Amino acid sequence: MVQKYQSPVRVYKHGFELIMAAYERRFPTCPLIPMFVGSDLMNEYKSEDGAVHIVERRCKLDVDAPRLLKKIAGVDYVYFIQKNSLNRQERTLHIEAYNETFSSRIIVNEHCCYTVHPDNENWTCFEQSASLDIKSFFGFESTVEKIAMKQYTTNIKKGKEIIEYYLNQLEQEGITSMPRWTPEIAQRQETKTDTSGRAMSPPQSIPTKSADGPSSKDGLPSSPTAATHELSSTPDDKLDADYIKRYLGDLTPLQESCLIRLRQWLQETHKGKIPKDEHILRFLRARDFNIDKAREILCQSLTWRKQHHVDYLLSTWDPPQVLHDYYAGGWHHHDRDGRPLYVLRLGQMDTKGLVRALGEESLLRHVLSINEEGLRRCEENTNIFGRPISSWTCLVDLEGLNMRHLWRPGVKALLRIIEVVEANYPETLGRLLILRAPRVFPVLWTLVSPFIDENTRKKFLIYAGNDYQGPGGLIDYIDKEVIPDFLGGECMCEVSEGGMVPKALYRTPEELENDDIRLWTETIYQSASVFKGSPHEILIQIVDASSVITWDFDVCKGDIVFNIYHSKRAPQAPKRDTLGAHGITSPVGNNVQLIDKAWQLGRDYSMVESPLICKEGESVQGSHVTRWPGFYILQWKFHSMPACATSSLPRVEDVLASLQVSSHKCKVMYYTEIIGSEDFRGSMTSLESSHSGFSQLSAATTSSSQSHSSSMVSR
């Protein structure tokens, strides 16, 4: 595999002529580069007016490699040919180097360029590119590649230091500037000869600035990126080394190279808007600077952003009032490192109510807007604090977390959100502070953590109870002056306190489906109509005994009775009742009956759970551990008011209740899932011992359980 390197633009705030004087002092040897043992002049050419000076040297390098490897290779030193082409009139120096030693096994090409800064003629720019292709090396190809890359990056770091060292040396000698070249009157000089008496032929071409970049000379292989080495007059086209340090942070030479090459590729292939350098760098960091992997996920993200107009989200997204009132999250100052601080009071938030009132798509869009705002705040804080800030800190307060937050459809929605954020906003989370984690938290963490990138998980700090108030707690990461008041601080936090979303704001799947927001998938809920005499039934086939059937449903209208039956034989084909018992048309034909009228309870099928009466507005969650394989039927049945046993006259309460059920029609929204008993024991079963820890977020709660089943009803 060919290894490539591309440097950023390094700027010296000195004139080109002075930089050239400093550069020449590196030869014939440089004590600041221990591996550079010496160099011999091979060929030299000067134009008659002195403007062009071309020098070819043979450089001797003592590579820091294992003695055994040198013995196998049969060499003590490695030789490179370096060709410097100086054009004083155009104020450019092009340097090309290639390996002479092992040239049939290893191909090394390097190109460097000194030019005048496009915006300041008294400054000098430097760029460098190189490629390494190891074809074969006695079975030590990988070892040689690592040694070569290590040596090269070490010398790159010293490059600027060496020039500055000789600049200081010149200054100590009283030389702070050099005159520019002017045409001089001189007689035509005879062609110079080298030390061996060979005639040095004139160069075929002199590298000059052109739209196509420097040309290849003397048959030397040119760098694949040579066409882009020349500086453009537009500063944004190239990355300056000082800019990288100021706005992107301290990067190694190879990391700088990956950033520049990926950015360059985007400029060439993506004609539209490309991401900012900070965002490109995040994708590289997410893939450990593997440029091919980073390019793949970055391109997927760019396509996603374009398809869903994410670039315009902050200006077009208007959060619904439900989010303003019940979403307990918001931005709050910054942490000690200058990162924007986002506060999320998850324990006080009715996640199920938000999903039911808004739908998964709206919640996702809101989370995306938070991430877009986070990117904007990082950029803003970078300018304010004068150092690179590319991520934010998230403070999550879990006070009040309970079983309701572990509602499976809600957890699934959370996992989908995590998946989208991980794919499109990598390396944006600098630190996650989880405070007041209750005993239910390990269960949630078990469900969620596998979907979170390993590098992201390392940034999590978890505190139980009031541990965050002690040493190593919150004060180590957030200034005392900005610790929110609800955590014992003095700073008023304007984040909403959350609370229960009124069921009156809940919406049906049909209503959510009519929204124009479509970012990932259909809702996981289904809706059904239940009529008097026409229950709604769904079939679940169980192959392995001890599987777990889980359900979650809301009674949107009327009162119903929930039953679970088991049968050894398959029921009849689903029969849809579009008219119902009273001529009531179901809007979407979502009333299905499976139990044949001829079937007898106790002979053809059996009841495995006691009937559960559910009132209008109730939310029901539960599970059933199956004893036998076969067919299980979940049934929602119209609930008729029982007659009063002590009087032939109906009660006033019964009459009023019956009037609320217009046309004897009920409506439910439900979600079911089958999971293995092993998975169930690791997640849902463990919750049964935790539901007693409900906080004020859980309204009146009742539960019923049998030896092989458990159900929970939240009113």
Side-chain angles (χ1 to χ4, degrees):
M1 179 179 177
V2 179
Q3 295 287 346
K4 298 178 182 178
Y5 171 77
Q6 173 64 57
S7 75
V9 179
R10 186 168 290 120
V11 178
Y12 298 96
K13 297 182 179 180
H14 299 279
F16 177 81
E17 289 71 24
L18 187 64
I19 294 296
M20 290 300 98
Y23 175 77
E24 285 298 325
R25 297 201 172 198
R26 295 177 53 173
F27 301 101
T29 184
C30 179
L32 298 179
I33 308 179
M35 68 177 296
F36 184 28
V37 178
S39 63
D40 298 322
L41 184 64
M42 296 177 60
N43 296 306
E44 186 174 9
Y45 167 81
K46 282 187 178 180
S47 63
E48 60 183 19
D49 60 359
V52 177
H53 187 196
I54 299 177
V55 178
E56 193 169 9
R57 296 183 177 92
R58 188 169 185 258
C59 302
K60 183 179 181 181
L61 305 180
D62 184 10
V63 178
D64 184 15
R67 184 64 188 171
L68 177 61
L69 185 61
K70 286 186 176 182
K71 188 173 182 179
I72 293 174
V75 298
D76 289 325
Y77 300 101
V78 176
Y79 291 90
F80 273 75
I81 304 301
Q82 184 188 72
K83 184 176 180 179
N84 293 357
S85 301
L86 173 64
N87 191 320
R88 294 188 176 93
Q89 183 176 1
E90 296 188 1
R91 305 178 77 192
T92 62
L93 172 64
H94 290 270
I95 306 168
E96 290 189 346
Y98 63 94
N99 62 305
E100 182 185 70
T101 308
F102 303 119
S103 58
S104 62
R105 297 178 177 273
I106 302 173
I107 299 176
V108 179
N109 284 298
E110 182 183 44
H111 180 269
C112 304
C113 181
Y114 287 91
T115 57
V116 177
H117 194 285
D119 298 325
N120 190 330
E121 62 179 11
N122 295 318
W123 291 356
T124 305
C125 296
F126 172 77
E127 282 188 87
Q128 181 177 8
S129 65
S131 63
L132 169 67
D133 185 7
I134 302 178
K135 298 186 178 299
S136 65
F137 201 83
F138 312 107
F140 292 92
E141 292 81 10
S142 178
T143 302
V144 172
E145 180 179 296
K146 292 178 181 178
I147 293 173
M149 297 303 292
K150 180 181 178 181
Q151 294 282 322
Y152 193 73
T153 53
T154 301
N155 292 332
I156 290 171
K157 292 179 180 179
K158 293 181 179 179
K160 188 173 183 179
E161 298 175 7
I162 293 170
I163 292 295
E164 291 176 345
Y165 171 82
Y166 288 118
L167 285 172
N168 292 332
Q169 201 176 77
L170 288 169
E171 185 178 359
Q172 292 172 4
E173 297 173 7
I175 303 173
T176 57
S177 64
M178 298 286 288
R180 294 188 185 181
W181 176 89
T182 55
E184 59 184 16
I185 301 173
Q187 294 181 351
R188 183 182 299 273
Q189 299 180 358
E190 294 183 357
T191 304
K192 293 185 178 289
T193 57
D194 62 13
T195 56
S196 63
R198 288 186 301 147
M200 173 68 180
S201 59
Q204 298 297 318
S205 61
I206 301 297
T208 59
K209 264 190 187 180
S210 68
D212 297 329
S215 58
S216 178
K217 298 168 287 300
D218 297 341
L220 296 180
S222 60
S223 169
T225 56
T228 60
H229 289 323
E230 297 301 327
L231 276 171
S232 167
S233 58
T234 306
D236 291 340
D237 287 348
K238 296 288 181 75
L239 292 186
D240 184 290
D242 294 334
Y243 160 82
I244 290 178
K245 186 173 183 180
R246 165 65 178 81
Y247 291 98
L248 304 180
D250 292 322
L251 304 179
T252 67
L254 292 182
Q255 289 173 346
E256 290 177 339
S257 174
C258 290
L259 172 63
I260 293 165
R261 289 165 53 203
L262 181 53
R263 184 179 184 271
Q264 184 180 11
W265 181 85
L266 288 170
Q267 289 174 326
E268 294 172 353
T269 58
H270 285 65
K271 303 304 179 183
K273 182 180 179 182
I274 67 172
K276 295 182 179 180
D277 301 324
E278 300 91 324
H279 206 50
I280 298 175
L281 187 58
R282 291 185 182 102
F283 283 87
L284 284 167
R285 283 176 171 150
R287 291 298 179 266
D288 295 325
F289 286 88
N290 183 312
I291 193 169
D292 293 327
K293 292 181 179 180
R295 177 167 52 202
E296 180 182 356
I297 61 173
L298 178 55
C299 289
Q300 292 173 354
S301 179
L302 291 177
T303 302
W304 173 82
R305 293 181 71 90
K306 182 178 180 181
Q307 287 177 343
H308 302 295
H309 308 286
V310 179
D311 289 334
Y312 310 101
L313 190 59
L314 287 181
S315 59
T316 58
W317 171 243
D318 184 18
Q321 190 60 42
V322 175
L323 285 173
H324 288 294
D325 296 339
Y326 299 102
Y327 188 88
W331 295 99
H332 179 78
H333 299 281
H334 56 79
D335 68 4
R336 287 184 178 272
D337 296 324
R339 296 189 184 104
L341 176 63
Y342 190 83
V343 175
L344 182 65
R345 304 184 67 177
L346 183 60
Q348 304 301 312
M349 196 157 61
D350 181 10
T351 52
K352 177 178 179 178
L354 289 172
V355 173
R356 296 297 307 277
L358 297 170
E360 299 165 3
E361 307 293 344
S362 290
L363 277 178
L364 172 62
R365 181 160 292 234
H366 186 61
V367 172
L368 295 181
S369 71
I370 293 171
N371 281 270
E372 290 295 309
E373 174 65 15
L375 297 178
R376 188 194 68 79
R377 287 176 179 259
C378 286
E379 187 176 347
E380 184 179 85
N381 285 16
T382 296
N383 294 324
I384 292 174
F385 294 102
R387 61 178 182 271
I389 296 173
S390 61
S391 59
W392 52 82
T393 293
C394 187
L395 187 155
V396 181
D397 179 24
L398 297 184
E399 176 70 14
L401 188 76
N402 55 67
M403 262 180 72
R404 185 178 180 85
H405 294 86
L406 302 178
W407 174 59
R408 290 191 69 85
V411 172
K412 282 199 169 186
L414 174 62
L415 296 179
R416 290 191 181 98
I417 290 175
I418 291 175
E419 181 181 3
V420 173
V421 172
E422 284 276 331
N424 298 284
Y425 301 91
E427 297 297 317
T428 53
L429 181 65
R431 184 179 294 117
L432 180 65
L433 303 171
I434 299 177
L435 310 184
R436 302 196 282 195
R439 59 187 181 133
V440 169
F441 174 72
V443 180
L444 178 61
W445 179 247
T446 300
L447 297 173
V448 173
S449 60
F451 297 87
I452 302 175
D453 180 75
E454 182 180 356
N455 291 333
T456 303
R457 291 201 300 267
K458 293 177 181 177
K459 303 171 185 177
F460 286 33
L461 296 173
I462 303 172
Y463 300 90
N466 294 324
D467 292 349
Y468 70 93
Q469 297 177 346
L474 202 57
I475 194 67
D476 286 9
Y477 305 102
I478 301 175
D479 288 330
K480 182 179 179 181
E481 294 76 16
V482 299
I483 294 179
D485 53 343
F486 64 86
L487 293 174
E490 301 175 356
C491 186
M492 288 295 295
C493 185
E494 298 180 358
V495 174
S496 169
E497 295 184 359
M500 296 293 291
V501 178
K503 287 187 169 61
L505 299 178
Y506 284 14
R507 303 169 70 192
T508 65
E510 291 80 12
E511 292 172 329
L512 295 173
E513 192 173 347
N514 291 332
D515 286 348
D516 293 331
I517 303 170
R518 276 289 168 266
L519 285 182
W520 68 35
T521 183
E522 300 289 334
T523 177
I524 60 176
Y525 275 91
Q526 299 183 56
S527 62
S529 296
V530 179
F531 305 96
K532 188 173 184 179
S534 298
H536 177 70
E537 298 162 342
I538 62 173
L539 179 66
I540 297 176
Q541 184 175 2
I542 297 297
V543 178
D544 298 324
S546 297
S547 296
V548 182
I549 303 173
T550 65
W551 58 82
D552 177 272
F553 64 88
D554 286 79
V555 184
C556 304
K557 183 179 181 181
D559 299 341
I560 59 100
V561 179
F562 178 66
N563 292 303
I564 305 178
Y565 301 102
H566 172 263
S567 175
K568 294 182 180 179
R569 60 186 177 124
Q572 63 182 7
K575 174 185 175 184
R576 292 184 178 273
D577 188 350
T578 56
L579 296 178
H582 299 279
I584 306 300
T585 302
S586 174
V588 290
N590 50 359
N591 178 272
V592 178
Q593 290 125 58
L594 300 169
I595 299 178
D596 195 294
K597 300 293 184 182
W599 277 18
Q600 293 184 10
L601 183 62
R603 185 191 68 183
D604 301 296
Y605 64 107
S606 59
M607 182 179 292
V608 296
E609 281 267 8
S610 299
L612 185 64
I613 299 175
C614 306
K615 301 291 185 180
E616 180 174 330
E618 287 185 350
S619 297
V620 182
Q621 295 172 294
S623 59
H624 175 81
V625 181
T626 61
R627 287 185 177 183
W628 317 279
F631 301 91
Y632 287 78
I633 300 172
L634 274 59
Q635 181 192 75
W636 291 268
K637 184 179 179 180
F638 184 90
H639 177 55
S640 300
M641 297 297 175
C644 182
T646 58
S647 172
S648 59
L649 297 176
R651 296 179 300 172
V652 175
E653 295 87 344
D654 295 339
V655 174
L656 293 176
S658 63
L659 293 176
Q660 295 175 359
V661 185
S662 60
S663 304
H664 302 281
K665 175 183 176 182
C666 302
K667 193 166 187 176
V668 295
M669 291 177 58
Y670 65 91
Y671 165 83
T672 62
E673 184 180 14
I674 305 171
I675 58 179
S677 58
E678 298 82 7
D679 297 333
F680 182 79
R681 293 191 187 97
S683 58
M684 296 297 293
T685 311
S686 58
L687 300 183
E688 294 177 20
S689 62
S690 304
H691 71 268
S692 60
F694 274 28
S695 71
Q696 65 274 15
L697 272 184
S698 297
T701 301
T702 62
S703 64
S704 64
S705 62
Q706 297 178 356
S707 59
H708 290 274
S709 63
S710 64
S711 302
M712 182 182 72
V713 184
S714 299
R715 291 184 173 86

